Amino acid sequence: MPGFADLFAGLPVAALVLDEAGCVTHANGAAELLLNLSDRAMRGLSLEQIISLPPGYADQRDGRAFASYDCELQLKRGGRLRVDFHDSPAAHGSAWRIVMLYGLRGGHAMPQAAGARAAIGAAAMLGHEIKNPLSGIRGAAQLLSGDVDDRPVLTDLIIAEVDRIAALIDRMQDFTDDRPRELVTQNIYPVLAHAVQLASAGFARGVTIEERFDPSLPPVRIDRDAFVQVMVNLLKNAAEALDKVDAPRIILGTAYRHGMSHAIGSGRRAVPIELTVTDNGPGAPADIAGHLFEPFVSGKREGRGFGLPMVEKLVGEMGGLVRYAREGYPPMTVFRIHLPRA
């Protein structure tokens, strides 16, 4: 039977235990994931050294619980979070407290109701995407039924729009493919070099791709094809964001983050291999920044909103996690991936 430490580590909600001085004594795996800090790094820090405090929190009365819903908090290391924030005494009469953070951003845990709304929204968007080409097909068919001279043009239109619907459905089916990935031990750098070569020869031609690598990085266990797809999607996303930027630049970085882990079931899995794709573009529009990993969400006029959800799916199938942030000054767009070492 699992002990308390195992149960705490396996909670699907980010949880922090604060001592009587308001300093962190324990952080579970979900908190490490949400806040991008290890349990070891957070111990001894006050809550406001990790995140900004929600309005009214400093004025709470001793012994009383506190809650703030759908609030935006600033990470002290950069980036923002939208969360439901709950603080309550660890036990009656105790000065120790438990803080629970229910993440509301794409790529983090969402309350069930919010997840259901996202699924309904995705279904509605799928219907919208399919209705557009169907409307064109119907119009072309109506014209073909009359006496027209440009039949080849209309038949080409019908074929193109039917192909577009088929491609859309194929992409949706990719999300339902739950076959396990064949993970093998790999040196990550030849795979990264291949992805960069593909980008530089095509969509990222003319964009500076700077490498900031940790040469001592240990091997990882990945599905090579899935990992290449992840990197190509992220590099393409970055290159398209730099379309109207002077001196466009993408920074590809790797690092080893000691102690980084997140919860899997009732245990914890170490994910210390960090890979970052950073660009000096404008970032995602504020109204969709929290939903980038949901299907059909895109800030690009011609975007279909499949690239980042597929990135999240593939990274998750390799035992890792991915998140989006705006960091630094001037702010830059960062997609951060954590993967388990071999």
Side-chain angles (χ1 to χ4, degrees):
M1 183 175 179
F4 172 77
D6 293 327
L7 294 174
F8 179 75
L11 283 174
V13 175
L16 302 168
V17 178
L18 309 182
D19 62 18
E20 64 273 4
C23 296
V24 175
T25 62
H26 297 86
N28 70 348
E32 293 178 312
L33 165 61
L34 187 70
L35 302 173
N36 193 34
L37 282 171
S38 68
D39 169 57
R40 183 182 302 175
M42 285 187 275
R43 291 193 182 194
L45 298 180
S46 67
L47 193 59
E48 59 185 330
Q49 287 178 299
I50 300 170
I51 55 174
S52 61
L53 302 179
Y57 180 73
D59 300 325
Q60 66 174 321
R61 296 174 61 183
D62 291 341
R64 299 288 183 90
F66 174 90
S68 180
Y69 297 96
D70 196 11
C71 55
E72 186 174 278
L73 305 180
Q74 176 73 45
L75 285 171
K76 295 302 183 180
R77 293 184 61 181
R80 293 179 179 274
L81 295 174
R82 270 185 51 238
V83 298
D84 287 344
F85 180 104
H86 293 258
D87 174 295
S88 60
H92 181 69
S94 172
W96 286 50
R97 307 185 69 80
I98 297 178
V99 172
M100 310 284 278
L101 303 172
Y102 298 82
L104 301 176
R105 297 188 60 158
H108 301 303
M110 291 192 301
Q112 186 174 11
R117 287 195 298 271
I120 293 170
M125 288 299 294
L126 175 60
H128 175 74
E129 290 289 339
I130 289 179
K131 282 175 68 177
N132 282 340
L134 284 178
S135 176
I137 291 170
R138 185 175 187 277
Q142 285 177 324
L143 290 173
L144 280 174
S145 66
D147 185 14
V148 294
D149 297 326
D150 53 352
R151 289 179 186 273
V153 174
L154 294 175
T155 55
D156 287 347
L157 184 151
I158 289 174
I159 292 169
E161 291 301 271
V162 168
D163 288 344
R164 186 152 73 96
I165 292 176
L168 181 67
I169 293 172
D170 285 343
R171 292 191 191 105
M172 289 299 295
Q173 287 175 334
D174 287 339
F175 290 100
T176 64
D177 184 356
D178 57 359
R179 289 173 295 179
R181 294 280 164 186
E182 295 184 10
L183 306 182
V184 296
T185 300
Q186 298 256 339
N187 177 346
I188 202 171
Y189 291 119
V191 191
L192 286 176
H194 177 66
V196 170
Q197 185 179 27
L198 291 174
S200 298
F203 55 80
R205 187 182 290 111
V207 178
T208 299
I209 300 180
E210 179 182 338
E211 296 177 352
R212 298 182 183 177
F213 291 161
D214 177 353
S216 63
L217 206 67
V220 295
R221 284 182 60 79
I222 56 173
D223 179 304
R224 187 183 187 281
D225 290 342
F227 185 76
V228 169
Q229 184 177 353
V230 164
M231 291 309 305
V232 168
N233 282 6
L234 289 178
L235 288 169
K236 189 172 188 292
N237 189 77
E240 290 175 347
L242 297 170
D243 184 43
K244 292 182 168 63
V245 173
D246 294 331
R249 185 164 57 114
I250 297 173
I251 303 170
L252 198 57
T254 62
Y256 190 85
R257 301 300 185 193
H258 296 274
M260 182 63 69
S261 66
H262 70 105
I264 299 290
S266 61
R268 294 167 77 170
R269 176 178 297 171
V271 285
I273 308 298
E274 181 177 272
L275 171 67
T276 54
V277 180
T278 304
D279 68 72
N280 61 333
D287 58 334
I288 67 169
H291 306 280
L292 290 178
F293 297 103
E294 297 172 15
F296 303 108
V297 175
S298 176
K300 294 170 284 191
R301 176 174 293 183
E302 299 301 324
R304 291 285 176 258
F306 284 102
L308 293 178
M310 183 55 67
V311 164
E312 185 186 45
K313 178 180 185 292
L314 294 177
V315 170
E317 289 172 350
M318 292 185 283
L321 54 105
V322 59
R323 62 180 302 183
Y324 161 88
R326 291 282 289 171
E327 298 178 1
Y329 185 82
M332 300 181 76
T333 298
V334 183
F335 282 94
R336 179 173 282 107
I337 296 173
H338 286 124
L339 291 167
R341 61 172 293 173

